[in-house]
Amino acid sequence: MGARERSSAGNPVRTLELLWREPGRGGPARGPKQRSTVEAVLAAAIDIADAEGLAALTMRSVAAKLGLAPMATYTYVPGKAELLDLMLDTVYRQMPRSDLAGMTWREKVSVIAAENRELLVRHPWVAYLPTTRPPLGPGVAAKYDHELQAFDGLGLSDVDMDAALTYLLGFVTSVSRIAIDTARAAADSGESDHEWWQRAAPLLERVFSADRYPLAARVGAAAGQAHDSAYSADHAYTFGLARTLDGLAALIESRSS
């Protein structure tokens, strides 16, 4: 990923102008009649990133998908850096948001985790886009406001609420990335994890010493038998979410007392 392939790497003023445009009003006002819109450019870019990853996303590839001249995309978006911000804000804005009313805080946090996990299944590239400077658009604002509801009214300070949400989303992204990488490895190699391990097993039996690495042998065998693989993203998510909730419970109880 290039140095500018992160959120907020472009012109902040132009990016914010585009992020907060009125829907359908993204095209430039001067020049000949436009053949497309900012919304169409974003839809095409998201389709490319979803199907092929960020490496395949260029201003030219977006133009080609829309049937435009190679440089025409620049009349709608200044460059790839701004395009990435707009794409991220768009998929955040389009996320389904559950009604959290009447839920316990654990249920709310679990729903927020599930919503983000589903987002990363639909748009895997989001898991690899650094967002330490998130695009401050309407999609980001709506997502942030919605997710903070899971921690509101629990006695946490505003700073603690922000940190708790960051902690939760960091866990979801980490587990999701491993799931995405596992799926990509299977697709690239044409064989499942189970098939890969079966092929590697004869060599491992010759070189791996259970006497020298007793814990690795015992625990690895148990995990492999349980998951039919070295790793289960679903198990890691379920186990990790439970531990995340337990950790947040300790924080909430300390603040309420």
Side-chain angles (χ1 to χ4, degrees), residues 33-242:
K33 181 178 177 59
Q34 299 298 307
R35 294 181 54 198
S36 191
T37 64
V38 172
E39 283 72 22
V41 168
L42 292 176
I46 291 169
D47 284 348
I48 293 170
D50 287 349
E52 305 175 59
L54 290 177
L57 178 67
T58 64
M59 300 296 277
R60 282 178 172 267
S61 67
V62 174
K65 187 173 180 65
L66 292 172
L68 301 175
M71 302 300 287
T73 317
Y74 291 96
T75 64
Y76 304 96
V77 180
K80 187 174 180 180
E82 292 83 2
L83 178 64
L84 289 170
D85 278 347
L86 291 163
M87 291 166 59
L88 186 63
D89 195 73
T90 297
V91 297
Y92 281 174
R93 178 168 48 83
Q94 294 172 347
M95 284 178 70
R97 308 198 204 285
S98 302
D99 183 358
L100 303 179
M103 296 183 184
T104 66
W105 74 262
R106 282 179 175 266
E107 291 170 335
K108 292 177 182 179
V109 171
S110 298
V111 167
I112 295 305
E115 289 175 349
N116 280 274
R117 191 184 187 202
E118 290 164 7
L119 170 76
L120 298 179
V121 170
R122 291 193 301 273
H123 308 292
W125 53 272
V126 174
Y128 298 89
L129 187 63
T131 56
T132 51
R133 291 181 179 178
L136 301 177
V140 168
K143 181 177 186 292
Y144 186 51
D145 191 79
H146 167 68
E147 293 172 352
L148 286 172
Q149 294 178 43
F151 303 99
D152 193 26
L154 300 178
L156 300 179
S157 69
D158 288 350
V159 173
D160 281 346
M161 288 171 60
D162 177 80
L165 179 57
T166 300
Y167 176 62
L168 173 69
L169 298 185
F171 155 71
V172 174
T173 300
S174 177
V175 173
S176 296
R177 285 183 66 160
I178 298 175
I180 294 166
D181 291 342
T182 300
R184 286 177 176 172
D188 292 343
S189 65
E191 58 186 1
S192 66
D193 274 7
H194 176 75
E195 293 168 333
W196 187 89
W197 280 104
Q198 279 190 319
R199 193 152 60 89
L203 176 61
L204 284 174
E205 288 175 0
R206 293 199 304 270
V207 301
F208 184 85
S209 171
D211 292 334
R212 186 175 182 182
Y213 310 108
L215 278 177
R218 190 188 82 214
V219 175
Q225 184 175 7
H227 307 319
D228 196 26
S229 178
Y231 179 85
S232 166
D234 288 339
H235 180 268
Y237 176 81
T238 301
F239 182 89
L241 180 60

Side-chain angles (χ1 to χ4, degrees), residues 236-253:
Y237 176 81
T238 301
F239 182 89
L241 180 60
R243 305 293 78 77
T244 300
L245 291 170
D246 290 344
L248 291 171
L251 172 67
I252 292 166
E253 288 166 8

